[in-house]
């Protein structure tokens, strides 16, 4: 039998071919050692990194602080390690409380971040997590990754000035406690941003513009080509309060646009309907300047229109256009026609038809035409318009998107003209072109884009808006609320904005109220303006005799208010038509004659009510019942209120003011029934004298 070599012989044989040798070579040992060392180091990195991590260091610092300030109780009750909040329905995963360990608990006095206790909020901290409001990378456990933009994460921690935007992901309407969000959304509508940009909210509603850009279809009647040139070159040079942006046009472009706008103009209804033999307008210079200024003031034109005073400050309202230099703009014939009936020129205007007589029109037009700036047009010298200039002007108007705001003959409103901003708060950084030196995050991009759009490229179409730094912050806040996360939230978390009904009064009274533009200032059944009182329940509130006299000659009800209702020069038949409608249509439920016992509102009740008014409740601090003695200017004057309001309205109002006028400044005094009745009895004794005083 042949026996082969033993295993030991094979291992000790240097000449034996094959893989088995007595020991590895030196080179192989070196490689093996290096690989082993790399493996050991690799295995040690994770625990070492964890041991020296930010969160562990911060938890140790917290324990030391807690021990120094509060003793051992906090330390004994503290549970360290990674803390995680996971809310699958909201897409929330965050470990923020791993470092911010004192969100709900221990009061450590003036401890700074990250150990400061979270400020009070209307939500439980565990209900929504941290990243839904603060953003950042919630799953991270290092400060750099959690707070800042990294290669793997584009949503850094939201700066505190924009925190209102997080509320806007769920709250789609006005929200008390979020002023920047509310203001930003208001500006998006009021400045006309949503004429060009689509801003759709997660509930499907799309923001609508709330400005009132004038139609340009009859512009040649209103003003000159020279004024148009100066205006579109720099709107704020004409009116400091102008919201129209600056398109930074060249002189040639502005000249071509002005040529086209004049060329496309057609006659308005006021010109078409003018009698062919109408007498020429009386020269404005014949109007007495002092008398004209008095008329302007008595009509309370400044309630809607502002002018700059000698110090350069705007004085007046912002509901209508600024009138500081209107004499440099308005054609005298057009101005007279406008004052006679604004709706003949602009059917959708918010300015009422005042029914001015010829003398008033002459005085007002003369007063307004005197408000001019001779320097505004002194250097404007335009070449005569020709066909080529008009064609170029139309092309520029089309490319600039002017028809998105203004009605222009021959130019259709553009579609998809500007980027959709419905999810701009989550826009990927790869889709953004940043200018040199700009931080690569969405909020800085939005801010810079609003501040100076053309800094991103001179060929861009977005113009420069006249906005303050605080308005830019507000606009950025509103846009940061438009996120992917908001569109993925459960529907039950979305609190939609209150949708205002499109109410319009009907019949002959409705036509008259439309002509007077009552809804420009007043709200009725949820629709209209907020400059003047809501009229929804006015029929239950006022007495007929007072209402008719007030519409004939409106007087001052609130001494502290600057805005006043103007005089509309209504005829007796018109006053009766409106009064009948208001007193019958605008009634509140529960205001019938059985609400109060009229026999109980006698002189004794009035005497008790007077004591309540002046002694127990001190109503004279806000109201004037006696012009000789009372000094209250916060609320409406009550001298003469017995002629104005109904007893039932007074009683119901005194019982619960906010139920009748939500948001009123009048507090609820929690009056007993007999106190409210006695106060109403006293107020009914405050009758106005014929000379306007009070008894």
């Amino acid at each position: 039998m042949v026996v082969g070599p033993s295993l030991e012989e094979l291992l000790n044989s240097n000449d034996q071919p094959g893989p088995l040798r007595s020991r590895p070579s030196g080179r192989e040992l070196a490689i093996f050692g290096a690989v082993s060392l790399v493996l050991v180091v690799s295995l040690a990195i994770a625990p070492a990194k964890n041991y020296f991590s930010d969160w562990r260091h911060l938890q140790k610092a917290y324990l030391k602080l807690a021990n120094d300030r509060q003793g051992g109780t906090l330390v004994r009750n503290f549970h360290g390690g990674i803390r995680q909040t996971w809310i699958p329905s909201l897409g929330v995963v965050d470990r923020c409380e791993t470092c911010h360990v004192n969100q709900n608990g221990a009061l450590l006095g003036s401890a700074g971040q990250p150990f400061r206790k979270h400020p009070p909020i209307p939500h439980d901290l565990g209900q929504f997590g941290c990243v839904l409001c603060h953003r950042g990378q919630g799953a991270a456990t290092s400060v750099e990754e959690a707070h800042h933009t990294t290669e793997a994460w584009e949503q850094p921690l939201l700066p505190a000035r924009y925190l209102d935007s997080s509320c806007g992901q769920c709250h789609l309407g006005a929200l008390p406690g979020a002023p920047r969000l509310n203001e930003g959304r208001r500006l998006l509508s009021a400045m006309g941003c949503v004429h060009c940009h689509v801003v759709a909210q997660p509930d499907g509603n799309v923001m609508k513009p709330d400005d009132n850009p004038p139609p340009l279809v009859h512009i040649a009647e209103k003003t000159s080509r020279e004024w148009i040139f100066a205006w579109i070159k720099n709107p704020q040079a004409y009116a400091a309060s102008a919201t129209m942006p600056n398109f930074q046009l060249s002189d040639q472009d502005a000249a071509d646009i002005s040529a086209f706008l004049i060329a496309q103009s057609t006659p308005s209804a006021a010109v078409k309907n003018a009698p062919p033999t109408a007498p020429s307008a009386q020269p404005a210079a014949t109007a007495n300047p002092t008398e004209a200024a008095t008329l302007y003031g008595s009509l309370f034109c400044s309630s809607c229109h502002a002018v700059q005073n000698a110090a350069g400050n705007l004085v007046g309202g912002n509901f209508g256009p600024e009138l500081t230099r209107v004499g440099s703009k308005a054609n005298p014939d057009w101005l007279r026609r406008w004052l006679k009936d604004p709706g003949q020129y602009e059917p959708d205007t918010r300015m009422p038809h005042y029914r001015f007589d010829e003398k008033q029109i002459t005085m007002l037009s003369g007063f307004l035409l005197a408000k001019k700036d001779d320097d505004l047009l002194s250097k404007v010298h335009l070449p005569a318009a020709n066909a080529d200039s008009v064609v170029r002007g139309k092309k520029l108007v089309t490319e600039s998107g002017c028809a998105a705001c203004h009605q222009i003959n021959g130019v259709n409103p553009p579609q998809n003209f500007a980027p959709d901003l419905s999810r701009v708060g989550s826009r990927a950084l790869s889709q953004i072109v940043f200018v040199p030196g700009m931080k690569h995050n969405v909020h800085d991009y939005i801010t810079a884009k609003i501040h100076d759009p053309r800094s991103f490229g001179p060929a861009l179409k977005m113009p420069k808006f006249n906005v303050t730094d605080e308005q830019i912050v507000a606009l950025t806040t509103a846009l940061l609320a438009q996120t992917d996360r908001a569109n993925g939230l459960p529907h039950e978390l979305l609190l939609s904005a209150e949708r205002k009904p499109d109410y319009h009064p009907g019949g002959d009274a409705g036509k008259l109220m439309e002509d007077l533009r009552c809804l420009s200032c007043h709200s009725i059944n949820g629709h209209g303006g907020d400059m003047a009182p809501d009229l929804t329940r006015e029929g239950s509130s006022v007495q007929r005799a007072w209402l008719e006299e007030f519409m004939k000659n409106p007087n001052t009800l609130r001494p502290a208010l600057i805005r006043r209702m103007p005089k509309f020069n209504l005829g007796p038949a018109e006053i009766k038509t409106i009064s009948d409608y208001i007193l019958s249509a605008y009634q509140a439920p529960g205001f019938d004659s059985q609400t109060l016992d009229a026999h109980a509102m006698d002189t004794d009740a009035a005497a008790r009510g007077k004591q309540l008014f002046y002694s127990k409740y001190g109503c004279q601090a806000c109201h004037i019942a006696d012009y000789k003695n009372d000094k209250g200017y916060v609320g409406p004057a009550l001298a003469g209120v017995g002629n104005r309001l109904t007893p039932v309205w007074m009683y119901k109002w005194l019982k619960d003011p906010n139920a009748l006028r939500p948001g009123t400044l009048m507090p609820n005094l929690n009056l007993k029934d007999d106190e409210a009745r006695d106060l109403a009895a006293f107020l009914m004794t405050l009758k106005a004298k014929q000379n306007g005083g009070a008894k």
Side-chain angles (χ1 to χ4, degrees):
M1 182 175 71
V2 179
V3 179
S6 66
L7 179 61
E8 182 179 358
E9 291 175 329
L10 290 173
L11 292 174
N12 293 331
S13 174
N14 292 330
D15 299 326
Q16 177 65 33
L20 296 177
R21 297 196 294 268
S22 61
R23 54 184 174 280
S25 66
R27 180 173 177 275
E28 291 173 329
L29 286 173
I31 293 174
F32 177 77
V35 171
S36 300
L37 180 61
V38 169
L39 178 61
V40 171
V41 171
S42 299
L43 293 174
I45 284 177
K49 183 178 180 181
N50 182 60
Y51 184 80
F52 293 105
S53 63
D54 292 343
W55 67 266
R56 191 180 294 276
H57 168 75
L58 291 171
Q59 287 188 0
K60 288 180 179 179
Y62 169 77
L63 290 173
K64 183 178 184 305
L65 182 65
N67 188 62
D68 292 343
R69 296 193 180 187
Q70 298 286 339
T73 303
L74 289 178
V75 176
R76 287 192 298 272
N77 294 333
F78 179 76
H79 300 286
I82 300 291
R83 301 181 181 186
Q84 178 171 285
T85 298
W86 180 36
I87 310 175
S89 62
L90 304 183
V92 168
V93 177
D94 70 61
R95 300 170 179 172
C96 304
E97 287 191 87
T98 302
C99 295
H100 297 269
V101 293
N102 191 43
Q103 295 298 293
N104 294 305
L107 300 176
L108 295 179
S110 59
Q113 289 289 19
F115 308 135
R116 184 183 304 157
K117 187 177 180 180
H118 199 287
I121 56 174
H123 301 293
D124 183 84
L125 288 175
Q127 186 179 8
F128 293 104
C130 301
V131 296
L132 194 65
C133 294
H134 293 278
R135 307 195 189 177
Q137 185 177 189
T141 56
S142 70
V143 174
E144 178 67 25
E145 291 181 344
H147 289 193
H148 304 291
T149 299
T150 66
E151 292 183 0
W153 191 258
E154 295 187 348
Q155 295 290 331
L157 204 66
L158 198 62
R161 61 184 177 276
Y162 301 129
L163 271 180
D164 283 4
S165 67
S166 297
C167 306
Q169 296 178 113
C170 295
H171 298 270
L172 308 183
L175 176 65
R180 281 178 172 163
L181 174 66
N182 298 337
E183 176 65 3
R185 285 174 169 166
R186 186 193 71 81
L187 289 171
L188 285 173
S189 294
M191 296 184 65
C193 305
V194 292
H195 281 295
C196 293
H197 297 278
V198 173
V199 183
Q201 295 186 304
D203 62 352
N205 290 324
V206 178
M207 287 190 187
K208 301 296 183 182
D210 193 32
D211 57 344
N212 190 33
L216 305 181
V217 291
H218 313 306
I219 188 67
E221 294 178 14
K222 182 177 184 178
T223 191
S224 65
R225 184 186 170 204
E226 286 73 18
W227 182 86
I228 296 174
F229 173 90
W231 166 259
I232 61 179
K233 280 286 292 181
N234 185 5
Q236 284 69 43
Y238 168 77
S241 60
T243 57
M244 178 165 162
N246 190 330
F247 283 81
Q248 299 171 290
L249 298 167
S250 67
D251 288 352
Q252 183 61 56
D253 288 347
D256 292 341
I257 290 175
S258 64
F260 167 68
L261 292 178
I262 292 295
Q264 61 83 46
S265 181
T266 56
S268 67
V271 172
K272 292 178 180 178
N273 298 334
T277 58
S280 59
Q282 183 179 358
T286 62
N288 183 302
T290 302
E291 188 179 3
T294 301
L295 177 64
Y296 180 87
S298 66
L299 293 170
F300 304 114
C301 302
S302 59
S303 294
C304 295
H305 299 280
V307 295
Q308 291 184 38
N309 59 19
N313 299 319
L314 282 175
V315 179
N318 59 0
F319 190 74
E322 181 185 331
L323 300 178
T324 304
R325 300 174 179 85
V326 66
S328 300
K329 170 186 179 180
N331 179 299
D333 290 336
W334 172 86
L335 183 57
R336 289 180 62 86
R337 289 193 298 269
W338 174 264
L339 293 171
K340 188 174 183 64
D341 187 358
Q344 288 283 308
Y345 178 84
E346 186 179 334
D348 294 329
T349 180
R350 294 185 290 191
M351 182 165 169
H353 180 191
Y354 284 92
R355 294 155 172 77
F356 295 131
D357 58 33
E358 287 301 318
K359 180 180 178 181
Q360 290 175 315
I361 290 175
T362 296
M363 287 195 294
L364 284 173
S365 61
F367 176 78
L368 294 173
L369 290 171
K371 293 181 175 296
K372 60 172 57 180
D373 181 355
D374 292 332
D375 293 335
L376 182 68
L377 305 179
S378 61
K379 297 181 180 179
V380 179
H381 304 287
L382 301 178
N386 54 43
D388 291 339
S389 180
V390 171
V391 170
R392 287 194 301 269
K394 182 176 181 178
K395 183 174 183 292
L396 287 167
V397 164
T398 303
E399 292 176 346
S400 299
C402 303
C405 296
H406 300 279
Q407 182 184 354
I408 303 172
N409 291 314
V411 182
N412 295 322
Q415 302 296 321
N416 302 319
F417 180 72
D420 190 311
L421 301 181
S422 300
R423 301 193 181 201
V424 66
S426 298
R427 182 167 293 176
L429 300 187
S430 60
Q431 298 176 358
I432 299 175
V433 178
F434 293 94
V435 299
M438 179 186 296
K439 293 182 179 179
H440 285 211
N441 57 63
V442 175
H443 52 263
D444 280 341
Y445 163 74
I446 294 175
T447 297
K449 188 74 172 179
I450 298 172
H451 179 262
D452 188 5
R454 302 289 173 89
S455 65
F456 290 81
L460 295 179
K461 296 177 181 178
M462 182 172 170
K464 183 176 178 61
F465 284 83
N466 183 35
V467 287
T468 65
D469 291 343
E470 184 55 38
Q471 287 176 323
I472 292 176
V473 172
L475 284 164
T476 303
T477 300
L479 292 174
L480 286 172
Q482 301 294 129
T483 64
D484 291 335
R485 187 189 293 276
N487 282 272
L489 291 173
H491 186 73
E492 58 269 19
L493 289 182
L494 299 178
L495 304 177
S496 298
E498 181 181 354
R499 305 189 72 173
K500 294 184 178 181
D502 188 21
Y503 167 80
H504 291 278
D508 292 338
K511 293 178 182 178
L512 186 55
M513 293 170 72
E514 175 65 25
D515 195 42
L516 296 172
R517 301 296 192 264
C518 297
L519 291 175
S520 290
C521 299
H522 296 277
S523 178
I524 304 175
N525 292 328
H527 179 64
D530 57 3
M531 185 188 299
D534 191 309
L535 299 181
T536 304
R537 298 170 175 173
E538 190 73 359
S540 297
S541 170
V542 298
Q543 301 177 36
R544 174 182 288 275
W546 176 88
L547 179 60
E548 292 182 348
E549 180 61 29
F550 182 80
M551 286 192 293
K552 180 179 178 182
N553 186 25
N555 56 8
T556 298
L557 298 178
R558 295 175 179 267
L561 294 183
I562 297 175
R563 287 173 169 168
R564 299 282 188 271
M565 180 166 166
K567 184 177 180 180
F568 289 110
N569 298 315
L570 296 172
E574 293 176 317
I575 290 176
K576 185 179 185 305
T577 297
I578 294 182
S579 298
D580 288 346
Y581 191 83
I582 289 177
L583 293 169
S584 61
Y586 300 140
Q587 290 284 334
F591 279 68
D592 53 77
S593 59
Q594 306 303 317
T595 304
L596 278 177
D597 181 3
H599 297 290
M601 299 180 67
D602 53 18
T603 55
D604 291 338
R608 292 192 298 270
K610 186 174 182 178
Q611 288 294 319
L612 293 171
F613 186 92
Y614 282 107
S615 298
K616 183 173 182 178
Y617 293 110
C619 305
Q620 73 276 16
C622 295
H623 299 279
I624 295 175
D626 182 349
Y627 281 109
K628 293 181 179 179
N629 300 310
D630 301 340
K631 305 298 181 184
Y633 280 87
V634 176
L638 299 179
V641 72
N643 296 123
R644 177 162 61 95
L645 299 179
T646 63
V648 177
W649 177 269
M650 291 184 190
Y651 174 79
K652 292 272 193 177
W653 174 266
L654 291 166
K655 286 290 292 180
D656 189 358
N658 200 66
L660 298 182
R661 293 265 169 82
T664 180
L665 294 178
M666 172 87 175
N668 189 339
L669 301 176
N670 297 311
L671 299 175
K672 298 177 182 178
D673 290 350
D674 59 338
E675 289 183 319
R677 183 198 63 215
D678 291 347
L679 274 168
F682 165 65
L683 294 175
M684 286 303 298
T685 67
L686 302 178
K687 305 289 186 178
K689 294 181 180 180
Q690 294 299 319
N691 60 6
K695 291 182 179 179

